[in-house]
């Protein structure tokens, strides 16, 4: 069965610093991969997705993610974090019928 | 606003009562999904509809849970005889096709006392 692991429950970075959030998945074939962000009181917002093709995917708000098949990873990156990026980030893997989410990584941004 | 909407946003109920939530997907989206999210966890898939047909149900969806999408537009999720363990955020999402992005609503937070 497909599964998603986000090893970091909570990450704190300083504003302006770079960010990398880790995501590992388990799936038999090439999955559909997603990163969503959830702010308090807000719905999940899609940052980016990977279906096929170029393994480096650009998303909204300056985020990017790289699909590495050999490592079963889909890590999210941002070169310079803004205070407004503080939120919960979820990695997800989907097949034909459902989507599985990781437990999430809470990002705190220090001024 | 043309996004996914959910009603109510918050629901407090006593154990044993029935509750019903509504989801209005993005217009013309054929697929509609329900998820449950508990504190500190990612959303867990409950069920999904392709138009009015309910095509898959998670084992999380006990017989106290029922979902409908009668005309292939809005959907309702009913929980009968609520238990404290049902307290969670219930999320709805819709997509145009199987491969399309799922767009999420703001959720309904259920608290069972």
């Amino acid at each position: 069965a497909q599964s998603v692991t986000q090893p970091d429950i909570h990450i704190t970075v300083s504003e302006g610093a770079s960010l990398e959030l880790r995501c590992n998945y388990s799936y038999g074939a090439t999955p559909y991969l997603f990163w969503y962000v959830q702010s308090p009181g807000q719905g999940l917002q899609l940052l980016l997705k990977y279906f096929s093709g170029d393994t480096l995917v650009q998303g909204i708000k300056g985020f990017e993610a790289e699909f590495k098949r050999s490592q079963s990873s889909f890590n999210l990156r941002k070169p310079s974090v803004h205070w407004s990026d503080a939120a919960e980030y979820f990695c997800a893997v989907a097949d034909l019928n459902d989507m599985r989410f990781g437990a999430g990584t809470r990002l705190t941004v220090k001024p | 606003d043309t996004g996914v909407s959910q009603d109510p946003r918050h629901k407090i109920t006593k154990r044993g009562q029935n509750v019903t939530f509504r989801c209005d997907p993005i217009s013309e989206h054929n697929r509609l999904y329900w998820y449950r999210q508990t504190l500190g966890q990612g959303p867990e898939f409950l069920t999904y509809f392709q138009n009015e047909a309910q095509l898959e149900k998670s084992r999380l969806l006990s017989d106290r849970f029922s979902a409908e999408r009668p005309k292939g537009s809005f959907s309702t999720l009913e929980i009968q005889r609520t238990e404290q363990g049902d307290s969670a955020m219930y999320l709805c999402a819709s997509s145009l096709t199987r491969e399309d992005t799922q767009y999420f609503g703001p959720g309904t937070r259920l608290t069972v006392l």
Side-chain angles (χ1 to χ4, degrees):
Chain A
Q2 58 184 347
S3 65
V4 181
T5 302
Q6 293 181 247
D8 305 305
I9 296 173
H10 186 200
I11 284 183
T12 300
V13 299
S14 297
E15 190 169 15
S18 64
L19 170 71
E20 182 168 26
L21 302 182
R22 296 184 291 164
C23 173
N24 294 97
Y25 66 91
S26 173
Y27 191 63
T30 300
Y32 298 158
L33 296 162
F34 305 81
W35 274 100
Y36 282 85
V37 61
Q38 187 176 40
S39 299
Q42 302 296 315
L44 287 155
Q45 182 182 23
L46 180 71
L47 289 175
L48 47 80
K49 61 186 179 184
Y50 173 78
F51 283 0
S52 63
D54 192 346
T55 57
L56 184 61
V57 181
Q58 301 298 318
I60 63 171
K61 302 184 180 184
F63 286 92
E64 66 177 25
E66 186 171 12
F67 170 59
K68 292 185 177 180
R69 184 190 305 275
S70 61
Q71 299 177 17
S72 297
S73 69
F74 189 57
N75 294 349
L76 182 72
R77 300 193 294 252
K78 186 170 185 177
S80 178
V81 170
H82 188 263
W83 64 266
S84 61
D85 293 325
E88 189 91 17
Y89 290 80
F90 294 96
C91 180
V93 58
D95 64 4
L96 297 179
N97 297 317
D98 70 35
M99 180 178 286
R100 300 289 177 97
F101 285 82
T105 297
R106 181 179 301 278
L107 175 65
T108 297
V109 181
K110 294 190 301 184
Chain B
D1 188 347
T2 57
V4 178
S5 62
Q6 293 185 245
D7 182 71
R9 295 291 303 275
H10 303 274
K11 178 70 176 179
I12 300 174
T13 191
K14 293 182 179 179
R15 188 176 55 185
Q17 297 295 304
N18 299 343
V19 295
T20 300
F21 310 140
R22 176 178 171 127
C23 171
D24 286 273
I26 294 173
S27 179
E28 298 179 355
H29 275 194
N30 297 319
R31 285 204 161 196
L32 187 148
Y33 306 80
W34 285 99
Y35 294 85
R36 183 176 68 185
Q37 185 178 21
T38 53
L39 197 62
Q41 297 298 318
E44 297 172 292
F45 170 77
L46 293 178
T47 187
Y48 87 90
F49 292 84
Q50 173 77 32
N51 298 313
E52 65 274 11
Q54 188 174 16
L55 296 186
E56 182 155 337
K57 292 192 290 186
S58 162
R59 59 189 171 148
L60 295 174
L61 213 66
S62 76
D63 56 5
R64 296 185 297 106
F65 288 70
S66 62
E68 294 182 342
R69 194 183 183 195
K71 298 182 180 179
S73 56
F74 73 92
S75 175
T76 57
L77 178 68
E78 181 183 16
I79 308 175
Q80 296 181 327
R81 304 181 304 281
T82 53
E83 302 173 355
Q84 287 186 325
D86 297 331
S87 296
M89 177 76 84
Y90 290 85
L91 298 169
C92 176
S94 71
S95 67
L96 188 58
T97 66
R98 184 186 70 192
E99 293 81 11
D100 192 28
T101 299
Q102 293 185 27
Y103 294 89
F104 282 80
T108 294
R109 180 171 296 283
L110 173 65
T111 301
V112 182
L113 302 177

